[in-house]
Amino acid sequence: MVLQEEHQLNSSTASGFLLLEFSTVFELQILHFIGFLVFYLTAVVGNLLIISAVASDQHLHTPMYFFLMNLAIQDVGQVSVIFPKAMANSLMNSRHISFSGCVAQVLFFIFFIASDFFLLTVMAYDRYVAICYPLQYQSLMNKQACIQMIATVWIFGLFYAMLHTGGTFVPPFCSNIVNQFFCEIPQLLKLACSNLYLTEIGILFVSALFSSGCFIFIVVSYAYIFTAVLRIPSMQGRQKTFSTCLPHLIVFSVFIVTGYFAYYNPTTTSHLNLVFTMIYTMVPPLMNPIIYSMRNKEVRHSMSRLLGLRYSSMCTSSSPFLQS
């Protein structure tokens, strides 16, 4: 009898998972669909504009904008992995996702999230060099170095995602009901019915140590940046740099804090966990185009030309960092 029940559970899991249902009321499901659609289109359009502007404008072919373009690509990938499926389920009054679809969702979501995190670390280093060692910036952040950094970011992100995906789906599942609107690793681990899930717990612990190291590196980099900025005699230069650095640091802090509670705090209630997940999946892709690029005069000028609009002012700052 026990073997028969386990066989039925494994069969149901192999056929797919049932994701979180926001509401059983059709009108509220449509409202949920519209909300996700507005967010998705805003995030995708904003990031695609940045990608197009940087790719089409020769003046933006610098390390800073090269990193921004890759960040925009990662943000588009991240939201495209989970939100179209969530919207489709709401529209069709369904909760189902296939087993292979769940595996793919975990793989690509972690890939884009990890790459995003690694790239933000690289961007902190780029800004540190631009502010603290402006005379050495061109030699340290040359084209070859930037390409190597980006290649490392994408390769590490893929390896990281494959490691987590393997650790998540190795153990058999005792249930196919996922208490989240997409296949999120902590919610999948709660369904495991063998000790093999401890492998993924170990991977998550090592990841926490590694991400903490990256976070410390970013905080220390910005500490040096702020110290250097305070020495700038121009009040306008200080204000411009602080207005750029502080939003970067705030959004990154929101991303890592809410991600930590979603992944590493098992005592969090389901409603609070949903809130944390919504924040770390929605806020950075939506805010990154605004704080990293759309407040930048050169990017706005390039977008205006791309869209056939008139733009009257140009940014003439000498530092590639102070241009943002």
Side-chain angles (χ1 to χ4, degrees), residues 146-184:
C146 291
I147 292 175
Q148 288 175 348
M149 289 179 185
I150 288 299
T152 302
V153 163
W154 288 106
I155 292 171
F156 267 55
L158 180 59
F159 174 75
Y160 186 87
M162 292 173 64
L163 195 64
H164 277 292
T165 305
T168 301
F169 290 96
V170 163
F173 296 103
C174 290
S175 171
N176 67 337
I177 300 177
V178 181
N179 191 30
Q180 192 55 269
F181 68 95
F182 69 100
C183 288
E184 190 182 39

Side-chain angles (χ1 to χ4, degrees), residues 205-221:
F205 178 74
V206 174
S207 300
L209 295 178
F210 186 75
S211 59
S212 298
C214 291
F215 179 69
I216 292 171
F217 176 85
I218 291 174
V219 171
V220 171
S221 297

Side-chain angles (χ1 to χ4, degrees), residues 10-319:
N10 289 335
S11 298
S12 64
T13 303
S15 65
F17 294 91
L18 296 178
L19 300 175
L20 178 68
E21 187 176 39
F22 282 89
S23 175
T24 56
V25 180
F26 181 71
E27 288 78 8
L28 292 178
Q29 289 178 342
I30 295 299
L31 186 63
H32 159 250
F33 166 78
I34 293 173
F36 270 6
L37 179 63
V38 171
F39 156 75
Y40 179 71
L41 291 178
T42 303
V44 169
V45 170
N47 282 287
L48 285 179
L49 281 174
I50 292 172
I51 296 169
S52 302
V54 174
S56 62
D57 193 338
Q58 292 290 332
H59 296 93
L60 300 183
H61 291 183
T62 62
M64 181 175 68
Y65 297 114
F66 178 61
F67 294 143
L68 289 175
M69 183 176 70
N70 278 269
L71 183 68
I73 293 172
Q74 291 164 354
D75 286 339
V76 171
Q78 175 192 324
V79 297
S80 298
V81 167
I82 58 175
F83 287 101
K85 179 60 179 176
M87 289 188 293
N89 280 357
S90 294
L91 196 61
M92 296 186 294
N93 192 24
S94 171
R95 300 170 56 192
H96 182 266
I97 184 172
S98 66
F99 183 84
S100 59
C102 190
V103 173
Q105 205 171 61
V106 170
L107 176 66
F108 287 106
F109 180 70
I110 296 299
F111 170 54
F112 287 117
I113 281 283
S115 300
D116 202 309
F117 188 84
F118 297 149
L119 180 56
L120 289 173
T121 306
V122 170
M123 291 173 67
Y125 173 73
D126 172 67
R127 294 174 185 280
Y128 164 74
V129 174
I131 285 293
C132 299
Y133 301 97
L135 299 180
Q136 302 177 38
Y137 183 81
Q138 295 297 332
S139 60
L140 291 174
M141 302 300 296
N142 56 65
K143 182 178 180 180
Q144 183 178 0
C146 291
I147 292 175
Q148 288 175 348
M149 289 179 185
I150 288 299
T152 302
V153 163
W154 288 106
I155 292 171
F156 267 55
L158 180 59
F159 174 75
Y160 186 87
M162 292 173 64
L163 195 64
H164 277 292
T165 305
T168 301
F169 290 96
V170 163
F173 296 103
C174 290
S175 171
N176 67 337
I177 300 177
V178 181
N179 191 30
Q180 192 55 269
F181 68 95
F182 69 100
C183 288
E184 190 182 39
I185 289 179
Q187 303 305 321
L188 289 169
L189 293 181
K190 293 178 181 179
L191 309 180
C193 49
S194 80
N195 290 333
L196 290 174
Y197 79 94
L198 294 176
T199 303
E200 176 59 17
I201 296 296
I203 296 173
L204 285 172
F205 178 74
V206 174
S207 300
L209 295 178
F210 186 75
S211 59
S212 298
C214 291
F215 179 69
I216 292 171
F217 176 85
I218 291 174
V219 171
V220 171
S221 297
Y222 276 108
Y224 277 108
I225 288 171
F226 291 148
T227 302
V229 167
L230 291 175
R231 301 194 191 104
I232 298 176
S234 168
M235 178 63 72
Q236 183 180 4
R238 288 200 299 269
Q239 291 177 344
K240 185 180 295 184
T241 306
F242 276 123
S243 68
T244 301
C245 291
L246 288 177
H248 297 177
L249 205 52
I250 290 171
V251 172
F252 179 78
S253 298
V254 168
F255 170 65
I256 195 169
V257 169
T258 54
Y260 169 81
F261 280 105
Y263 274 76
Y264 300 104
N265 192 354
T267 61
T268 306
T269 63
S270 58
H271 289 89
L272 194 57
N273 181 269
L274 178 61
V275 171
F276 287 140
T277 299
M278 296 284 279
I279 292 174
Y280 88 81
T281 56
M282 297 179 72
V283 172
L286 195 62
M287 294 303 297
N288 282 343
I290 298 173
I291 66 171
Y292 282 96
S293 299
M294 291 184 179
R295 295 169 69 247
N296 182 301
K297 292 182 180 179
E298 287 198 348
V299 174
R300 291 203 304 269
H301 174 74
S302 180
M303 286 183 180
S304 298
R305 289 194 301 175
L306 193 66
L307 298 174
L309 304 175
R310 296 186 63 184
Y311 192 85
S312 59
S313 62
M314 283 289 292
C315 179
T316 57
S317 174
S318 60
S319 168

